[in-house]
Amino acid sequence: ENFKFMKELKITIGGMPGAGKTTIAEILAKKLNLNLENRSFGRILAEKRKITINELMEQAKTNSQIHKDIDKEIINYGKENKNFILSSWLAYKFIPDSFKIFLYVSPKIGAKRIYKNQRPEEIKYSSIKETQHKTKKRLLDTKQGFEKAYKINFLLKSNYDLVINTTRKSKKQVIKDIIKEMEKRNII
Protein backbone atom coordinates (compact mmCIF):
# COMPACT_ATOMS: atom_id res chain seq x y z
CA GLU A 1 0.00 0.00 0.00
CA ASN A 2 1.11 3.55 -0.71
CA PHE A 3 0.01 5.98 1.96
CA LYS A 4 -0.29 9.69 1.27
CA PHE A 5 -0.28 12.32 3.97
CA MET A 6 -0.53 16.08 4.09
CA LYS A 7 2.72 18.13 4.28
CA GLU A 8 4.34 16.24 7.13
CA LEU A 9 3.69 13.38 9.49
CA LYS A 10 5.25 13.12 12.92
CA ILE A 11 4.41 10.06 15.00
CA THR A 12 5.55 9.58 18.57
CA ILE A 13 5.29 6.24 20.34
CA GLY A 14 5.45 5.85 24.11
CA GLY A 15 4.39 3.06 26.38
CA MET A 16 5.25 0.39 28.87
CA PRO A 17 8.54 -1.53 28.89
CA GLY A 18 8.18 -4.56 26.64
CA ALA A 19 5.04 -3.25 24.91
CA GLY A 20 6.75 -3.27 21.51
CA LYS A 21 7.59 0.42 21.01
CA THR A 22 10.83 -0.24 19.12
CA THR A 23 9.42 -3.08 17.00
CA ILE A 24 6.18 -1.28 16.11
CA ALA A 25 8.09 1.92 15.27
CA GLU A 26 10.35 -0.04 12.89
CA ILE A 27 7.46 -1.77 11.10
CA LEU A 28 5.32 1.38 10.90
CA ALA A 29 8.22 3.47 9.56
CA LYS A 30 8.73 0.98 6.72
CA LYS A 31 5.02 0.72 5.97
CA LEU A 32 4.53 4.52 5.89
CA ASN A 33 7.95 5.29 4.39
CA LEU A 34 8.91 7.52 7.32
CA ASN A 35 12.30 8.17 8.88
CA LEU A 36 12.82 6.14 12.01
CA GLU A 37 14.40 7.71 15.05
CA ASN A 38 14.47 4.75 17.38
CA ARG A 39 17.42 5.68 19.51
CA SER A 40 16.45 6.34 23.08
CA PHE A 41 17.74 9.79 23.92
CA GLY A 42 18.02 8.54 27.51
CA ARG A 43 20.11 5.58 26.35
CA ILE A 44 22.32 7.93 24.34
CA LEU A 45 22.94 10.07 27.43
CA ALA A 46 23.60 6.95 29.56
CA GLU A 47 26.15 5.71 27.00
CA LYS A 48 27.89 9.12 26.99
CA ARG A 49 28.12 8.87 30.79
CA LYS A 50 29.22 5.21 30.58
CA ILE A 51 26.36 3.91 32.77
CA THR A 52 23.25 1.78 32.13
CA ILE A 53 19.82 3.26 31.41
CA ASN A 54 18.65 1.85 34.77
CA GLU A 55 21.46 3.69 36.59
CA LEU A 56 20.65 6.90 34.71
CA MET A 57 16.96 6.69 35.70
CA GLU A 58 17.97 6.06 39.32
CA GLN A 59 20.10 9.24 39.23
CA ALA A 60 17.29 11.15 37.52
CA LYS A 61 15.07 10.65 40.58
CA THR A 62 17.17 13.26 42.39
CA ASN A 63 18.79 15.13 39.48
CA SER A 64 16.14 16.66 37.21
CA GLN A 65 18.83 18.14 34.94
CA ILE A 66 19.24 14.66 33.43
CA HIS A 67 15.70 14.80 32.05
CA LYS A 68 16.17 18.36 30.82
CA ASP A 69 19.30 17.31 28.88
CA ILE A 70 17.43 14.43 27.25
CA ASP A 71 14.43 16.62 26.49
CA LYS A 72 16.42 19.32 24.70
CA GLU A 73 17.53 16.65 22.24
CA ILE A 74 13.93 15.53 21.62
CA ILE A 75 12.62 19.10 21.19
CA ASN A 76 15.35 19.89 18.69
CA TYR A 77 14.73 16.68 16.78
CA GLY A 78 11.00 17.46 16.52
CA LYS A 79 11.64 20.99 15.26
CA GLU A 80 14.37 20.09 12.78
CA ASN A 81 12.76 17.01 11.22
CA LYS A 82 9.52 15.98 9.52
CA ASN A 83 8.02 12.69 8.32
CA PHE A 84 9.37 10.57 11.15
CA ILE A 85 8.49 8.13 13.88
CA LEU A 86 10.10 8.63 17.26
CA SER A 87 9.87 6.11 20.06
CA SER A 88 10.37 7.93 23.37
CA TRP A 89 8.55 8.16 26.68
CA LEU A 90 8.22 11.96 26.63
CA ALA A 91 8.09 12.68 22.91
CA TYR A 92 4.32 13.24 23.17
CA LYS A 93 5.05 16.27 25.37
CA PHE A 94 7.97 17.70 23.43
CA ILE A 95 6.61 17.15 19.92
CA PRO A 96 3.05 18.37 20.44
CA ASP A 97 2.23 18.36 16.70
CA SER A 98 2.78 14.59 16.52
CA PHE A 99 0.25 11.76 16.36
CA LYS A 100 0.78 10.32 19.84
CA ILE A 101 0.58 6.55 20.36
CA PHE A 102 0.81 4.74 23.72
CA LEU A 103 1.46 0.99 23.78
CA TYR A 104 0.37 -0.82 26.94
CA VAL A 105 1.36 -4.34 27.96
CA SER A 106 0.77 -6.29 31.15
CA PRO A 107 3.92 -6.14 33.33
CA LYS A 108 4.31 -9.94 33.23
CA ILE A 109 4.14 -10.22 29.43
CA GLY A 110 6.34 -7.12 29.06
CA ALA A 111 8.98 -8.71 31.29
CA LYS A 112 8.83 -11.96 29.27
CA ARG A 113 9.38 -10.02 26.04
CA ILE A 114 12.29 -8.03 27.51
CA TYR A 115 13.92 -11.16 28.94
CA LYS A 116 13.57 -13.02 25.64
CA ASN A 117 15.02 -10.13 23.59
CA GLN A 118 17.68 -8.66 25.86
CA ARG A 119 19.53 -5.72 24.32
CA PRO A 120 23.32 -5.72 24.36
CA GLU A 121 23.51 -2.16 25.77
CA GLU A 122 21.32 -2.95 28.79
CA ILE A 123 21.96 -4.86 32.00
CA LYS A 124 21.52 -8.61 31.69
CA TYR A 125 18.63 -10.25 33.51
CA SER A 126 18.95 -13.78 34.85
CA SER A 127 15.23 -14.59 34.98
CA ILE A 128 11.80 -13.32 33.96
CA LYS A 129 11.04 -12.59 37.63
CA GLU A 130 14.18 -10.44 37.95
CA THR A 131 13.32 -8.71 34.66
CA GLN A 132 9.82 -7.91 35.90
CA HIS A 133 11.13 -6.60 39.25
CA LYS A 134 13.87 -4.39 37.73
CA THR A 135 11.64 -3.18 34.89
CA LYS A 136 8.98 -2.17 37.42
CA LYS A 137 11.61 -0.31 39.43
CA ARG A 138 12.90 1.45 36.31
CA LEU A 139 9.37 2.47 35.35
CA LEU A 140 8.67 3.84 38.84
CA ASP A 141 12.05 5.64 38.95
CA THR A 142 11.33 7.19 35.56
CA LYS A 143 7.79 8.18 36.55
CA GLN A 144 9.09 9.82 39.76
CA GLY A 145 11.79 11.66 37.82
CA PHE A 146 9.29 13.01 35.28
CA GLU A 147 6.86 14.02 38.04
CA LYS A 148 9.66 15.88 39.83
CA ALA A 149 11.01 17.56 36.68
CA TYR A 150 7.71 18.36 34.88
CA LYS A 151 4.80 17.63 37.20
CA ILE A 152 3.41 15.16 34.65
CA ASN A 153 2.47 11.48 34.57
CA PHE A 154 3.65 10.06 31.23
CA LEU A 155 1.60 6.91 31.85
CA LEU A 156 -1.73 8.78 31.72
CA LYS A 157 -3.52 7.47 28.67
CA SER A 158 -5.29 10.82 28.16
CA ASN A 159 -1.93 12.27 26.98
CA TYR A 160 -2.18 10.21 23.79
CA ASP A 161 -4.24 10.15 20.60
CA LEU A 162 -4.30 6.35 20.46
CA VAL A 163 -3.78 3.72 23.18
CA ILE A 164 -3.30 0.07 22.24
CA ASN A 165 -2.99 -2.87 24.61
CA THR A 166 -0.40 -5.12 22.94
CA THR A 167 -0.56 -7.88 25.59
CA ARG A 168 -2.51 -10.31 23.40
CA LYS A 169 -2.05 -8.73 19.97
CA SER A 170 0.32 -9.66 17.20
CA LYS A 171 2.61 -7.03 15.69
CA LYS A 172 0.50 -7.23 12.54
CA GLN A 173 -2.70 -6.48 14.49
CA VAL A 174 -1.12 -3.52 16.31
CA ILE A 175 0.01 -2.03 12.99
CA LYS A 176 -3.44 -2.64 11.50
CA ASP A 177 -5.06 -0.84 14.48
CA ILE A 178 -2.73 2.17 14.11
CA ILE A 179 -3.28 2.45 10.34
CA LYS A 180 -7.05 2.14 10.78
CA GLU A 181 -7.12 4.93 13.39
CA MET A 182 -4.91 7.21 11.29
CA GLU A 183 -7.13 6.65 8.25
CA LYS A 184 -10.23 7.33 10.36
CA ARG A 185 -8.70 10.66 11.43
CA ASN A 186 -7.65 11.49 7.83
CA ILE A 187 -3.99 11.60 8.84
CA ILE A 188 -3.07 9.17 6.08
Side-chain angles (χ1 to χ4, degrees):
E1 287 179 71
N2 273 348
F3 291 96
K4 304 272 186 237
F5 35 88
M6 307 314 275
K7 60 184 172 71
E8 61 185 52
L9 178 57
K10 299 176 182 182
I11 299 174
T12 52
I13 300 179
M16 306 291 287
K21 296 178 296 294
T22 302
T23 303
I24 295 303
E26 288 169 353
I27 297 168
L28 199 56
K30 271 187 194 148
K31 191 164 185 71
L32 297 176
N33 196 27
L34 296 171
N35 295 318
L36 175 64
E37 186 50 65
N38 227 353
R39 299 174 303 157
S40 157
F41 293 101
R43 279 194 181 90
I44 291 166
L45 186 60
E47 287 169 15
K48 284 180 183 174
R49 295 178 181 193
K50 298 185 181 359
I51 59 175
T52 67
I53 186 67
N54 298 55
E55 290 166 330
L56 185 72
M57 289 299 105
E58 177 69 32
Q59 291 175 10
K61 283 197 303 190
T62 55
N63 180 358
S64 60
Q65 186 58 45
I66 290 170
H67 290 298
K68 290 180 174 75
D69 292 344
I70 295 168
D71 304 336
K72 282 179 198 156
E73 295 293 324
I74 296 169
I75 291 166
N76 290 338
Y77 186 87
K79 286 179 179 174
E80 295 168 7
N81 296 278
K82 59 184 179 182
N83 297 323
F84 65 82
I85 294 181
L86 173 62
S87 173
S88 164
W89 274 341
L90 281 186
Y92 80 90
K93 176 178 172 38
F94 297 115
I95 307 176
D97 57 337
S98 66
F99 181 68
K100 301 159 201 67
I101 300 169
F102 184 89
L103 301 179
Y104 174 83
V105 67
S106 74
K108 190 174 184 175
I109 297 299
K112 282 182 180 178
R113 291 175 182 171
I114 292 167
Y115 180 73
K116 194 175 129 195
N117 300 303
Q118 294 191 49
R119 295 177 177 163
E121 75 274 10
E122 291 186 5
I123 59 170
K124 298 292 170 255
Y125 300 114
S126 60
S127 68
I128 293 171
K129 190 173 184 172
E130 179 197 16
T131 307
Q132 188 171 353
H133 172 74
K134 292 205 171 155
T135 301
K136 181 180 179 181
K137 182 180 182 330
R138 176 180 162 213
L139 190 63
L140 291 174
D141 290 346
T142 303
K143 184 175 181 272
Q144 286 175 0
F146 291 160
E147 286 171 350
K148 183 179 168 87
Y150 301 108
K151 314 271 185 278
I152 61 166
N153 179 351
F154 79 106
L155 299 174
L156 270 182
K157 293 174 179 62
S158 59
N159 293 326
Y160 302 90
D161 299 309
L162 177 62
V163 177
I164 299 175
N165 183 341
T166 69
T167 303
R168 291 185 179 89
K169 288 190 176 188
S170 67
K171 294 176 258 194
K172 191 175 181 177
Q173 185 59 53
V174 173
I175 295 296
K176 193 174 168 184
D177 290 353
I178 293 169
I179 297 292
K180 184 178 174 184
E181 184 64 24
M182 292 177 74
E183 286 175 335
K184 189 172 106 181
R185 293 175 184 232
N186 293 316
I187 296 169
I188 56 172

